[in-house]
């Protein structure tokens, strides 16, 4: 996100000496400058100033990451995945947002996981790509080397690749922390069509820089009640020969990772709340790109928010039937009453998978029933991919096995569980 920020203590000129306060006239020790940059020095970056050499480790071990194996959606069929069935109440207390994720769907470009967490996560760094974590329910504090956020229902948390951070759920709330985790093998950013050539969000974009929350910092070990010299494990997800090409390593640092006294630049984590998305509507039904909020390599993220709908006198507010020639469509139903899916069994916490090559659209009766409706009260997060998705172990576990027959009004026969998605 090319929106310059400067936080904490930095020198007047980059790549020059920056020292801690010394005793008397003696110069203090140098801080250690680290460049975090995208595309090998050729895109957005930030400079961080550490108390310690950021390369230092005193140990390493294998982290057995959650199961990343996938099962093809074969035979090709749409599917309904009931995410709220993935975790029972007894397991939540000991589950965290990092090690407790269960893979729902994935391909070589993006992985979608789900976690219901009541425990603090370990310090974590994704060395493969950016993450977009949508907070479905609950509250948490996210501490990062750039600073901290308090996050709650409806927040998208965008975390750049290689950002060391941890999740601390608020356990006193009525709802546990429910996190819908989108892990890219690339960077995640606002759609290019929303941006000027210099990176400013344009007038036609459905949100702007004022809607983005930057991390509060700097955040140091002593600010969270820890010793700066506290030996700390950092869990790292990186490329390897494991299932899905993902493996894990635990690095042990001889110091606490919160040692950044200042930073500046255009690359950092930020938060955007879905309630700040301004929906784009028209006289007739608008296609999914008007709902887009972020994009990565070979996938997009959209959100369907409460909005007024089509106002042509002969308008049909729900989507027309459409074939996903180039995309799998994955819709996560968060809140409200999703008009197009009435009668399908889909509700809050559901994911519909409508695969490329299968025409899909409203359930029987939904098209006629929507005529004359002036607004939709619905909230959903959609991921469209441009390569087929396969089912993760979590997706296989909660496939209802019935959704493909929901357009047949009970005709046909049930199928063996598998995987897929749709718009609206």
């Amino acid at each position: 996100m090319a929106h310059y920020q400067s936080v904490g203590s930095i020198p007047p000129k980059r790549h020059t000496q920056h020292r801690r306060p010394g005793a008397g006239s003696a110069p203090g020790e140098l801080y250690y400058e680290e460049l975090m940059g995208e595309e090998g020095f050729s895109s957005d970056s930030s400079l961080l100033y550490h108390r310690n050499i950021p390369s230092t480790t005193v140990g390493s071990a294998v982290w057995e990451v959650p199961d990343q194996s996938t099962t093809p959606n074969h035979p090709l069929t749409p599917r309904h995945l009931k995410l709220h069935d993935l975790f029972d109440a007894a397991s939540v207390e000991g589950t965290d947002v990092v090690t407790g994720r269960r893979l729902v769907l994935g391909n070589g470009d993006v992985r979608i996981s789900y976690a219901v967490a009541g425990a603090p996560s370990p310090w974590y760094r994704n060395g493969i790509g950016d993450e977009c974590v949508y907070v479905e329910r609950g509250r948490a504090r996210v501490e990062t080397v750039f600073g901290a956020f308090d996050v709650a229902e409806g927040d998208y948390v965008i975390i750049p690749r290689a950002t060391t951070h941890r999740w601390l759920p608020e356990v006193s709330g009525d709802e546990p922390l429910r996190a819908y985790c989108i892990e890219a093998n690339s960077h995640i950013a606002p759609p290019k069509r929303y941006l000027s050539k210099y990176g400013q969000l344009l007038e036609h974009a459905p949100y702007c820089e004022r809607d983005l929350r930057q991390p509060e910092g700097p955040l140091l070990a002593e600010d969270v009640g820890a010793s700066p010299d506290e030996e700390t494990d950092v869990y790292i997800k990186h490329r390897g020969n494991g299932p899905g090409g993902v493996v894990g390593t635990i690095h042990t640092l001889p110091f606490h990772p919160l040692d950044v006294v200042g930073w500046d630049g255009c690359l950092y984590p930020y938060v955007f709340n879905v309630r700040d998305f301004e929906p784009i509507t028209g006289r007739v039904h608008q296609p999914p790109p008007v709902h887009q909020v972020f994009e990565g390599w070979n996938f997009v993220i959209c959100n369907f928010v409460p909005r007024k709908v089509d106002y042509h006198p002969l308008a049909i507010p729900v989507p027309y039937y459409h074939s996903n020639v180039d995309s799998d469509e994955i819709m996560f139903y968060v809140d409200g009453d999703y008009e197009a899916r009435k009668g399908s069994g889909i509700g809050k916490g559901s994911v519909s998978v409508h695969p490329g090559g299968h025409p899909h659209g409203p359930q029987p009766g939904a098209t006629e029933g929507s005529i004359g409706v002036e607004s939709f009260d619905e909230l959903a997060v959609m991921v469209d991919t441009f390569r087929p998705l396969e089912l993760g172990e979590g997706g296989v576990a909660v496939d209802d096995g019935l959704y493909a027959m929901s357009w047949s009004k009970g005709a046909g026969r049930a199928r063996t569980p598998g995987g897929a998605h749709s718009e609206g």
Side-chain angles (χ1 to χ4, degrees):
M1 181 73 211
H3 178 43
Y4 176 80
Q5 296 288 311
S6 177
V7 174
S9 175
I10 62 172
K13 188 80 172 174
R14 61 184 175 178
H15 315 323
T16 60
Q17 296 178 38
H18 185 35
R19 295 183 179 274
R20 23 186 129 205
S25 60
E29 294 180 26
L30 283 170
Y31 291 118
Y32 300 95
E33 183 184 61
E34 176 195 11
L35 175 75
M36 279 189 62
E38 297 179 343
E39 300 177 16
F41 303 97
S42 300
S43 189
D44 295 347
S45 66
S46 285
L47 290 167
L48 295 84
Y49 294 87
H50 295 264
R51 290 168 167 171
N52 304 286
I53 297 174
S55 306
T56 307
T57 62
V58 293
S60 62
V62 171
W63 168 31
E64 297 292 350
V65 297
D67 187 356
Q68 301 293 296
S69 60
T70 57
T71 303
N73 181 19
H74 186 229
L76 187 72
T77 184
R79 300 175 189 271
H80 170 200
L81 314 179
K82 303 172 74 173
L83 296 194
H84 285 184
D85 291 348
L86 274 175
F87 295 85
D88 58 41
S91 68
V92 169
E93 185 176 345
T95 301
D96 70 77
V97 172
V98 171
T99 68
R101 296 178 186 181
R102 296 187 65 179
L103 183 65
V104 178
L105 295 153
N107 63 20
D109 303 312
V110 63
R111 295 170 300 282
I112 300 172
S113 301
Y114 189 69
V116 184
S121 79
W123 290 99
Y124 167 60
R125 181 188 305 150
N126 189 328
I128 299 173
D130 293 0
E131 294 192 357
C132 171
V133 179
Y134 180 80
V135 180
E136 179 196 4
R137 294 286 188 273
R139 306 177 69 88
R141 186 162 178 83
V142 182
E143 295 177 347
T144 84
V145 292
F146 291 88
F149 305 95
D150 291 315
V151 300
E153 184 177 313
D155 279 334
Y156 289 102
V157 186
I158 305 296
I159 303 174
R161 176 183 174 180
T163 299
T164 302
H165 66 284
R166 67 177 176 180
W167 288 77
L168 305 173
E170 182 181 300
V171 296
S172 60
D174 295 332
E175 284 271 9
L177 180 64
R178 295 182 175 272
Y180 188 70
C181 308
I182 302 166
E183 300 178 23
N185 281 11
S186 61
H187 300 298
I188 297 173
K192 292 181 179 64
R193 68 180 183 277
Y194 294 168
L195 301 172
S196 76
K197 62 182 178 180
Y198 301 110
Q200 182 179 9
L201 285 159
L202 295 168
E203 283 295 298
H204 68 275
Y207 58 95
C208 76
E209 288 82 0
R210 297 183 191 182
D211 299 318
L212 308 179
R213 306 200 316 265
Q214 284 81 40
E216 298 174 1
L219 185 68
L220 296 167
E222 53 267 35
D223 298 325
V224 299
S227 166
D229 300 321
E230 182 177 298
E231 193 172 275
T232 309
D233 289 338
V234 176
Y235 286 57
I236 304 169
K237 193 175 288 180
H238 56 102
R239 293 185 180 93
N241 292 323
V246 179
V247 293
T249 294
I250 302 171
H251 279 173
T252 301
L253 314 183
F255 49 79
H256 196 281
L258 293 181
D259 72 340
V260 175
V261 299
W263 62 271
D264 79 328
C266 295
L267 180 67
Y268 48 85
Y270 62 92
V271 174
F272 172 72
N273 192 277
V274 71
R275 295 175 185 84
D276 289 320
F277 186 89
E278 302 301 332
I280 298 169
T281 60
R283 290 214 325 145
V284 296
H285 187 77
Q286 299 297 294
V290 304
H291 305 286
Q292 189 177 350
V293 60
F294 301 113
E295 66 184 10
W297 179 257
N298 274 344
F299 72 94
V300 299
I301 302 172
C302 304
N303 43 218
F304 294 78
V305 301
R307 65 196 181 278
K308 291 185 177 181
V309 290
D310 322 332
Y311 47 89
H312 186 284
L314 298 178
I316 299 175
V318 295
Y320 35 80
Y321 293 90
H322 49 289
S323 293
N324 300 354
V325 177
D326 295 315
S327 299
D328 280 8
E329 291 181 8
I330 310 304
M331 188 80 82
F332 175 43
Y333 301 85
V334 179
D335 255 328
D337 187 9
Y338 208 82
E339 294 286 339
R341 296 276 78 85
K342 285 184 174 178
S344 66
I346 281 174
K348 294 178 185 179
S350 293
V351 163
S352 62
V353 182
H354 297 151
H358 178 268
H360 68 277
Q363 307 304 131
T367 300
E368 188 73 34
S370 74
I371 294 173
V373 173
E374 296 184 353
S375 64
F376 285 170
D377 180 20
E378 61 192 21
L379 180 59
V381 175
M382 183 173 80
V383 178
D384 276 11
T385 67
F386 297 104
R387 289 203 289 176
L389 285 159
E390 296 189 343
L391 287 166
E393 62 81 21
V396 171
V398 292
D399 184 354
D400 80 347
L402 303 171
Y403 181 60
M405 297 297 119
S406 64
W407 287 273
S408 304
K409 297 184 177 180
R413 54 190 176 84
R415 48 130 179 95
T416 302
H421 162 287
S422 156
E423 182 245 336

